[in-house]
């Protein structure tokens, strides 16, 4: 498999599980959070008008069914304007950015704010060891709402509405949620999303007070084994790129397990007021949640 195919699959699986997360929300939650989802140009555009985190207004998966052009960006941003979103993050793999990207993104008011590392490996190369006293198991249907709560709190996100949204998506058989327990208390969670021969490792977070106890390494190993049993050939994941001189424990865990960087992708942020916010430090939501696996 060559690089272009890997890139297309990596972007496609992330776009699909992000679309599932938001489109699966119950109707009452969709109304409460102002959720709207659509497919544009082979990618997805996801709006959450009442998003308090700056994370869920996101568009990705572009450049494979049709090229990235000014007309495509117009359609994407018109969707966010029509939905009343105040901001959106546009994510495009560097391999499919057009030569005139700098002109296009400047014309459309897109500002760089944080980077995401996309990781990839053949499933046989994955070697995560399990070093934890915590119990790691799949999450049953009755525990999905608790799992959603743990994940959101681990990410520092509010639960209202989003807990129901995440739990509803995780009930689909293509989602395989796992958790770590300290006795009877769930303290960490993570998800595996199955998409053909690709298994996406995403949504990994641990509650404060239980970090550095091996939960995420054990959750990586458990999900990789589940992906093997499901017939996957490849594993893919994404997490925030740390600042120069900084560290990201999630990235380090995945590198130790045999995953390798495929590329680094910029977050291009659009705001409805057109204000230049480059002097502001990117929030953890906009950076892809440094130190945890990204939702996407």
């Amino acid at each position: 498999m060559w690089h272009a195919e890997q890139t297309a699959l990596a972007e496609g699986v992330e776009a699909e599980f992000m679309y599932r997360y938001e489109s699966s929300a119950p109707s009452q939650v969709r109304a409460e959070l102002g959720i709207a989802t659509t497919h544009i140009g082979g990618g997805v555009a996801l709006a959450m008008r009442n998003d308090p985190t700056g994370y869920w207004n996101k568009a990705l998966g572009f450049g494979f069914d049709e090229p990235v052009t000014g007309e495509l960006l117009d359609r994407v941003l018109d969707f966010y304007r029509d939905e009343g979103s105040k901001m959106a993050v546009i994510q495009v793999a560097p391999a499919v950015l057009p030569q005139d990207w700098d002109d296009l993104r400047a014309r459309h008011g897109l500002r760089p704010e944080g980077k995401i590392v996309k990781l990839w490996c053949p499933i046989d190369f994955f070697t995560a060891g399990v070093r934890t006293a915590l119990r790691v198991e799949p999450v049953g249907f009755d525990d999905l709402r608790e799992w959603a709560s743990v994940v959101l709190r681990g990410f520092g996100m509010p639960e209202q509405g989003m807990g129901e949204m995440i739990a509803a998506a995780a009930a689909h058989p293509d989602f395989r949620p796992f958790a770590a327990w300290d006795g009877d208390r769930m303290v960490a969670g993570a998800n595996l999303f199955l998409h053909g021969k690709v298994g996406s490792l995403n949504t990994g977070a641990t509650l404060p007070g239980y970090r550095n106890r091996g939960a995420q390494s054990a959750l990586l190993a458990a999900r990789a084994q589940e992906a093997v049993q499901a017939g996957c050939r490849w594993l893919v994941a994404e997490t925030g790129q740390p600042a120069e001189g900084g560290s990201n424990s999630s990235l380090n865990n995945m590198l130790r397990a045999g995953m390798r960087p495929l590329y680094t992708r910029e977050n291009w942020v659009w705001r409805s007021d057109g204000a230049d916010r480059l002097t502001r430090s990117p929030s953890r939501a906009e950076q892809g949640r440094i130190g945890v696996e990204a939702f996407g």
Side-chain angles (χ1 to χ4, degrees):
M1 182 176 294
W2 55 295
H3 183 79
E5 291 177 316
Q6 292 174 327
T7 299
L9 287 172
E11 290 292 302
V13 68
E14 183 185 357
E16 182 61 22
F17 79 70
M18 285 299 302
Y19 182 86
R20 298 274 193 97
Y21 268 139
E22 297 195 43
S23 64
S24 298
S27 57
Q28 182 178 347
V29 172
R30 290 175 66 90
E32 176 186 347
L33 295 177
I35 294 174
T37 58
T38 190
H39 289 86
I40 300 175
V44 301
L46 314 171
M48 185 181 288
R49 186 173 57 255
N50 301 321
D51 176 16
T53 70
Y55 184 83
W56 296 98
N57 287 279
K58 170 175 297 201
L60 66 160
F62 304 109
F64 303 100
D65 286 8
E66 68 177 75
V68 177
T69 62
E71 189 271 339
L72 175 63
L73 290 176
D74 286 338
R75 286 151 57 195
V76 171
L77 297 182
D78 282 346
F79 166 74
Y80 287 106
R81 293 187 185 99
D82 291 344
E83 294 301 326
S85 297
K86 296 185 182 301
M87 61 84 68
V89 179
I90 314 299
Q91 297 177 320
V92 184
V96 297
L97 289 173
Q99 290 184 345
D100 62 345
W101 174 249
D102 283 342
D103 291 337
L104 286 178
R105 63 99 170 172
R107 192 184 318 148
H108 290 81
L110 305 181
R111 311 290 185 178
E113 293 192 10
K115 296 181 179 180
I116 298 293
V117 181
K118 182 75 77 169
L119 298 105
W120 178 278
C121 74
I123 202 161
D124 293 341
F125 286 18
F126 196 87
T127 58
V130 180
R131 296 185 181 90
T132 183
L134 302 172
R135 172 170 54 91
V136 174
E137 295 178 358
V139 175
F141 181 83
D142 291 341
D143 291 327
L144 285 178
R145 185 59 183 83
E146 182 183 2
W147 174 83
S149 171
V150 168
V151 166
L152 288 166
R153 284 184 284 144
F155 273 84
M157 292 185 178
E159 292 185 55
Q160 185 172 353
M162 294 184 194
E164 289 77 15
M165 179 184 80
I166 298 299
H172 191 281
D174 289 341
F175 285 84
R176 305 290 173 89
F178 283 76
W181 283 263
D182 180 19
D184 293 332
R185 186 186 184 196
M186 189 185 297
V187 298
N191 181 45
L192 168 70
F193 178 66
L194 303 174
H195 193 60
K197 296 297 183 181
V198 180
S200 168
L201 306 172
N202 61 80
T203 320
T206 304
L207 294 178
Y210 288 90
R211 292 168 185 166
N212 301 313
R213 292 178 56 178
Q216 287 305 320
S217 291
L219 286 165
L220 284 169
R223 287 177 291 164
Q225 184 58 42
E226 181 75 10
V228 169
Q229 295 175 1
C232 293
R233 293 178 54 202
W234 308 93
L235 292 173
V236 64
E238 50 278 326
T239 189
Q241 177 175 282
E244 186 174 352
S247 180
N248 177 343
S249 58
S250 180
L251 176 61
N252 295 339
N253 287 339
M254 288 188 278
L255 292 174
R256 282 194 294 267
M259 301 193 78
R260 291 294 175 260
L262 184 60
Y263 51 85
T264 299
R265 186 185 66 198
E266 195 84 50
N267 283 339
W268 298 100
V269 177
W270 168 86
R271 291 184 171 83
S272 60
D273 60 9
D276 187 344
R277 310 277 183 89
L278 285 178
T279 57
R280 178 181 59 80
S281 297
S283 69
R284 286 174 62 85
E286 292 161 345
Q287 292 184 57
R289 300 285 164 175
I290 295 293
V292 294
E293 294 167 27
F295 273 95

